Amino acid sequence: MTKINSRARKPIKWSTIISALIILLVYAAVFIAEQTLPATSMLFTVLKKGATYALVAVSMNLLNGFTGLFSLGQAGFMLIGAYSYAILTIPVADRINVYQYYNGGLVQFAMPVVPALIVAGLMAALFAFLIGLPVLRLKSDYLAIATLGFAEIVRAIFQWNKLGALTNGSNILREFPTFNDFNIRNAEGEVTLYLSTLVPFLIAGVCIALIVLLINSTYGRSLRAIKDDEIAAEAMGINLFHHKQLSFCISSFFAGIGGAMLAMYQSTIQAKAFTSAMTYEILLIVVIGGIGSVTGSCISSFLFVAASEWWLRFLDQKQMIGSFEVPLLRNGFRLVVFSVIIMIVVLFFRQGIMGTRELPDLFRRKKTLKQEVKA
């Protein structure tokens, strides 16, 4: 029996090693590309935003795909994380210019980037804990509507002028550290080492790795049990509300960090940008990648951003072939083609690109029943 188990583990071990090597190669490729390609390349825009969306999509998949809770409040938690990060990291000397209508604002100190990212996640998790007390007792569609309403309420509150000394009201927040501030410069201010694209990959990678560890832990198995059958899970001694709240808070924590990363990517933030459409984009990424697949969420995030921000951009501009103007190509046509592509993907990949598979599953040898008996 021991011999059979040791043989059964070998494919899993090698598949994990191969997956780790692929991930390291991706990081190396990003670093090399950043040092060799022009800084204005659209590739870096896709990579930065893709890494940010990958983290938020995986955090949403933890809730929707692994726990079975249909939440639509991601944009609200991203907003909380983005504002928390920005408020805490704006240099004191620049606050009088940012909060020009509120005498420099209420907060008069600045935190380092990493602690501010953690606080951003904790603030989102705190709001998730409070809203989860009444909301998580709802089921399916009612939970989705409640969390969507929460996101809209948060967006309106953060634009309220009464809170302007903290949130700057309906005005934008700026001057906080961005990804470009991680580039290493010499005494003349010239960039000697570009790290503005590698850093979001590192932040997202660490956070996604923590989520994967949670999914593969005993808590993760409990969350899967809740998704499969709540009655059976409760009969096994699993506290449904406790585990749902845990999943909700953890998902919101990483969504908050994702919101902070989005603020670093955009360099300015404003509450009105965190609309329900942002949540729908994240949900679409999760569905395309595969509900219940972390790898699928990561892959579909980069494909989604690349298609919407880069590959189809030419469709928004008029194209001439000699003296003949190509019909339909004008501002907005890109979104039409993008929607058709999404419909085709959904039709031919009913379970998403990866389904419920992960990266190591692609390298595991499929044994037939005869081979297993022989082993």
Side-chain angles (χ1 to χ4, degrees):
M1 182 65 69
T2 306
K3 189 175 183 181
I4 294 175
N5 289 339
S6 63
R7 287 184 178 181
R9 291 193 190 97
K10 284 185 180 179
I12 299 176
K13 182 179 179 181
W14 279 110
S15 64
T16 304
I17 293 174
I18 294 172
S19 301
L21 289 175
I22 290 175
I23 294 172
L24 290 176
L25 287 174
V26 169
Y27 276 88
V30 170
F31 177 77
I32 294 172
E34 193 170 13
Q35 309 311 316
T36 56
L37 296 178
T40 56
S41 174
M42 274 297 297
L43 175 63
F44 300 132
T45 298
V46 172
L47 293 177
K48 292 174 187 177
K49 190 173 182 180
T52 301
Y53 270 34
L55 174 57
V56 181
V58 171
S59 71
M60 190 176 198
N61 211 344
L62 172 65
L63 196 62
N64 292 22
F66 291 95
T67 314
L69 298 177
F70 188 33
S71 170
L72 293 176
Q74 269 343 69
F77 297 118
M78 290 176 67
L79 186 153
I80 294 170
Y83 265 75
S84 298
Y85 170 80
I87 291 169
L88 293 174
T89 56
I90 296 174
V92 176
D94 295 325
R95 290 184 181 271
I96 190 63
N97 297 323
V98 176
Y99 291 87
Q100 56 183 331
Y101 301 109
Y102 301 98
N103 299 320
L106 183 64
V107 178
Q108 291 299 318
F109 63 88
M111 292 179 63
V113 171
V114 175
L117 285 173
I118 297 174
V119 172
L122 291 175
M123 289 301 297
L126 175 61
F127 274 82
F129 175 80
L130 296 176
I131 194 65
L133 292 175
V135 164
L136 290 179
R137 303 184 187 279
L138 302 174
K139 300 290 184 180
S140 71
D141 296 344
Y142 298 101
L143 175 62
I145 294 171
T147 51
L148 181 62
F150 161 76
E152 292 298 314
I153 291 171
V154 168
R155 184 163 62 91
I157 290 176
F158 271 66
Q159 297 180 84
W160 189 27
N161 288 330
K162 296 287 185 179
L163 295 177
L166 184 63
T167 65
N168 208 21
S170 58
N171 305 300
I172 64 173
L173 289 176
R174 62 185 192 280
E175 304 299 339
F176 48 81
T178 65
F179 291 137
N180 290 331
D181 293 321
F182 288 94
N183 293 330
I184 298 177
R185 303 174 183 271
N186 57 21
E188 287 75 27
E190 298 176 349
V191 178
T192 57
L193 186 65
Y194 288 93
L195 297 174
S196 58
T197 305
L198 184 64
V199 166
F201 266 74
L202 292 174
I203 297 173
V206 170
C207 293
I208 292 173
L210 292 175
I211 295 175
V212 171
L213 290 175
L214 172 67
I215 291 172
N216 293 324
S217 67
T218 54
Y219 278 103
R221 289 190 286 271
S222 299
L223 298 180
R224 291 175 185 268
I226 292 173
K227 177 190 175 183
D228 294 337
D229 193 326
E230 289 191 5
I231 297 176
E234 191 172 23
M236 294 170 60
I238 297 175
N239 188 324
L240 297 183
F241 181 78
H242 171 75
H243 283 80
K244 286 181 179 180
Q245 191 174 52
L246 178 68
S247 177
F248 193 50
C249 290
I250 292 175
S251 173
S252 302
F253 173 83
F254 289 109
I257 294 180
M261 290 177 62
L262 185 63
M264 297 171 74
Y265 162 74
Q266 295 178 339
S267 72
T268 62
I269 58 169
Q270 197 169 13
K272 67 179 184 180
F274 292 82
T275 61
S276 56
M278 183 177 291
T279 298
Y280 300 147
E281 285 184 351
I282 303 300
L283 179 61
L284 182 61
I285 289 171
V286 172
V287 173
I288 292 174
I291 299 178
S293 172
V294 173
T295 305
S297 295
C298 294
I299 294 174
S300 61
S301 296
F302 291 100
L303 292 177
F304 179 89
V305 175
S308 60
E309 300 285 344
W310 186 14
W311 295 339
L312 302 179
R313 278 291 181 184
F314 71 95
L315 297 175
D316 281 346
Q317 301 174 354
K318 292 183 179 180
Q319 302 290 335
M320 300 294 294
I321 301 177
S323 60
F324 174 74
E325 180 181 336
V326 180
L328 300 178
L329 297 186
R330 57 179 54 87
N331 189 29
F333 187 65
R334 168 175 58 94
L335 297 178
V336 176
V337 176
F338 186 57
S339 301
V340 173
I341 294 174
I342 290 173
M343 291 175 62
I344 294 173
V345 171
V346 172
L347 286 174
F348 286 93
F349 296 90
R350 297 294 180 88
Q351 293 184 333
I353 297 173
M354 293 292 292
T356 57
R357 296 175 299 170
E358 300 294 353
L359 185 59
D361 297 330
L362 301 179
F363 305 102
R364 289 176 183 168
R365 291 178 298 176
K366 296 181 179 180
K367 289 186 176 182
T368 62
L369 181 61
K370 184 178 180 179
Q371 289 175 316
E372 292 178 355
V373 172
K374 186 178 179 180

